[in-house]
Amino acid sequence: MHLPFTIIFFFSYSLVNAGSLNSGDSCNQGENRLQAGTYQFWDECNSQTYCSSGGKCEPKGCRKDDFPFGYTDDEKFPPKCPKGQFCPDEEDQCQNLLPVDSPCQLNRDDQCEPPPNFKELADTTGRGLNVNGSVCLNSVCLWANKTLGVDCTVENTAYIAYGANSEFIDIVSRGDCRLGLYCDAARKVCMNEKTLGEACTADKECSSWNCLASGICGVSESVPHHFAVWVYVVVGLGIFGGMFGTLFALFFTHRKQRDEEREKRLQYWREQNAFHQNLLQMRETAHDAHAPILQHAVPKASGLRHYLSDDGSSEYDDGLIMSGIQVNNRF
C-alpha cells in the first residue's frame, strides 16, 4: 500500500522542524500557525512549552485537555482553567471568556461567553453544535440563537481526510441557528431540519445528521439496530443446535473408537485362549505318548527309567523320581 504524498510530506516536515525547541530556546511567534488540512495549532516549541512574546520557549501555564499530549505519567500537568476562563491554543495562561463579537480561535466555542438563556440554547446532543449556546464562527464569537427564517452566519471548513489508498476533502459546515434548525449555506437563512426520507445535500440538514449517498436523510449513525424476534430465535436455535451437534458427533466418534478397541482386546483374548488350549493339547498328547513306556519301565531298576521319565515336563518329574527312590529302597 502506498501512502499519499501529503502524509509523507507532513510527517517528514514535522520530524525536521516541528516543535523541537526546548524550554529557554529562542523561538519566533511569527511561525505560530494552524497546520494545513488538520488545523492543529503549531509552534516551534515542544509539547510542554510555548513561544512567549519575549521570543523564548517557556513552560505552559495551562492546559485544555485532561490528559495533554507530551507528558509522562510522573510529570506534573499544567493546571486547567477555572469556570469563567479558558486556555487558548498557545496554552500560555488562562484568560477570561470573550464577549459576543470578540475574535476567537477556530472551533473554540468554549472561549466565548454564554448568552443569558444558555440553558435553552446549549447543545446536549454531543454533536458539538455549540458550547453553552455560544459558537465561534469565522473567528468571531456569536450566540446560537437565530430563529427560523432569520439571516444566519455559516462557516465551511475543509479538512483533509484519508482513505485506504487516497485522500479527500471533508467539509464541515456550522451555523448560529437554534437547535432544530440549520443555516442554509446558499440562502444564509435558518431552516428547519429535515426528517427521514427527505432530500438533502449535507448531514447538517437532517435531524439525524446522516445524509445518505443517495441524497436522502437516513437513520442516525448512533441509533442501535433492532432485529425481529424471529432473528433471535433462529440465532438461539443455531447456537444450541451447534452445541448439541458437536456433543453428539463427539459421542459417536468416541463410541466407534471404543468399539474398535474392545474388538482388538477380544481378538487378543481369543488368540491367547487358543494358544493356551493348544499348549494343553500338546501336553496331553505328550503324556499319552509316554505312558506305555513308563509302565514297562517301572519294574526295572535302572537309570534308563529315570531318563525316559524326564520329558521336560515339570508335572511328572517329581512323581517319577519318587517312584525311583522307593524302588531303590526295596533293593
Side-chain angles (χ1 to χ4, degrees):
M1 182 178 68
H2 299 287
L3 291 174
F5 174 76
T6 307
I7 298 180
I8 300 175
F9 174 76
F10 285 153
F11 181 70
S12 61
Y13 185 80
S14 61
L15 286 179
V16 176
N17 296 311
S20 59
L21 300 182
N22 299 318
S23 179
D25 293 343
S26 298
C27 60
N28 182 10
Q29 281 192 341
E31 295 295 331
N32 294 1
R33 61 180 179 271
L34 299 179
Q35 295 283 47
T38 62
Y39 299 98
Q40 181 181 9
F41 180 81
W42 182 93
D43 62 9
E44 294 181 327
C45 301
N46 60 27
S47 57
Q48 297 185 6
T49 58
Y50 74 96
C51 187
S52 66
S53 58
K56 297 289 184 180
C57 290
E58 298 181 8
K60 291 183 176 180
C62 63
R63 75 179 193 271
K64 300 178 296 183
D65 305 317
D66 291 331
F67 301 98
F69 176 78
Y71 293 84
T72 58
D73 295 337
D74 56 349
E75 290 179 321
K76 186 177 180 180
F77 297 161
K80 294 191 71 175
C81 297
K83 185 177 181 181
Q85 292 186 329
F86 69 93
C87 185
D89 290 346
E90 294 82 0
E91 296 182 315
D92 52 352
Q93 62 180 354
C94 294
Q95 301 179 19
N96 294 327
L97 294 178
L98 304 173
V100 66
D101 294 331
S102 299
C104 54
Q105 295 174 317
L106 180 67
N107 286 337
R108 293 300 306 273
D109 299 343
D110 59 311
Q111 295 183 355
C112 303
E113 192 176 56
N117 59 339
F118 69 93
K119 293 184 178 180
E120 179 184 350
L121 302 177
D123 174 36
T124 58
T125 63
R127 295 170 179 170
L129 302 180
N130 62 67
V131 173
N132 291 329
S134 300
V135 61
C136 180
L137 299 178
N138 302 316
S139 300
V140 177
C141 283
L142 301 174
W143 290 342
N145 59 355
K146 301 298 177 59
T147 57
L148 181 64
V150 176
D151 293 343
C152 57
T153 302
V154 65
E155 177 190 68
N156 294 323
T157 306
Y159 293 87
I160 297 178
Y162 303 98
N165 298 306
S166 62
E167 60 185 39
F168 57 94
I169 301 299
D170 181 27
I171 299 178
V172 176
S173 182
R174 309 178 68 218
D176 58 347
C177 299
R178 296 174 66 100
L179 298 179
L181 307 175
Y182 73 93
C183 185
D184 184 76
R187 300 173 56 186
K188 300 292 180 28
V189 294
C190 293
M191 303 180 64
N192 284 319
E193 292 180 344
K194 301 176 181 179
T195 58
L196 296 179
E198 291 191 81
C200 59
T201 58
D203 291 337
K204 71 173 184 178
E205 299 179 8
C206 304
S207 58
S208 61
W209 270 71
N210 183 25
C211 184
L212 303 177
S214 58
I216 61 173
C217 292
V219 179
S220 174
E221 295 286 351
S222 61
V223 175
H225 295 282
H226 296 282
F227 300 94
V229 177
W230 66 268
V231 176
Y232 294 97
V233 174
V234 171
V235 172
L237 292 176
I239 293 174
F240 284 103
M243 293 172 56
F244 287 110
T246 303
L247 292 176
F248 281 117
L250 292 175
F251 173 77
F252 287 115
T253 302
H254 178 69
R255 188 176 70 174
K256 181 180 179 182
Q257 294 176 348
R258 183 179 56 189
D259 293 342
E260 293 176 354
E261 293 297 326
R262 183 188 295 113
E263 184 62 28
K264 291 180 181 178
R265 289 194 295 270
L266 290 175
Q267 182 65 24
Y268 176 78
W269 181 84
R270 295 190 189 100
E271 293 177 354
Q272 294 298 317
N273 186 52
F275 179 70
H276 183 68
Q277 295 297 329
N278 292 337
L279 289 177
L280 292 178
Q281 292 178 1
M282 291 174 63
R283 287 183 178 181
E284 292 176 357
T285 302
H287 181 270
D288 295 341
H290 289 82
I293 300 176
L294 293 174
Q295 291 176 0
H296 294 291
V298 170
K300 298 181 180 181
S302 64
L304 182 61
R305 173 181 57 191
H306 302 290
Y307 176 77
L308 293 173
S309 64
D310 187 10
D311 62 350
S313 175
S314 61
E315 295 180 359
Y316 305 105
D317 290 348
D318 296 340
L320 293 174
I321 293 173
M322 291 298 296
S323 63
I325 293 173
Q326 292 176 359
V327 173
N328 289 335
N329 289 337
R330 285 199 301 265
F331 291 100

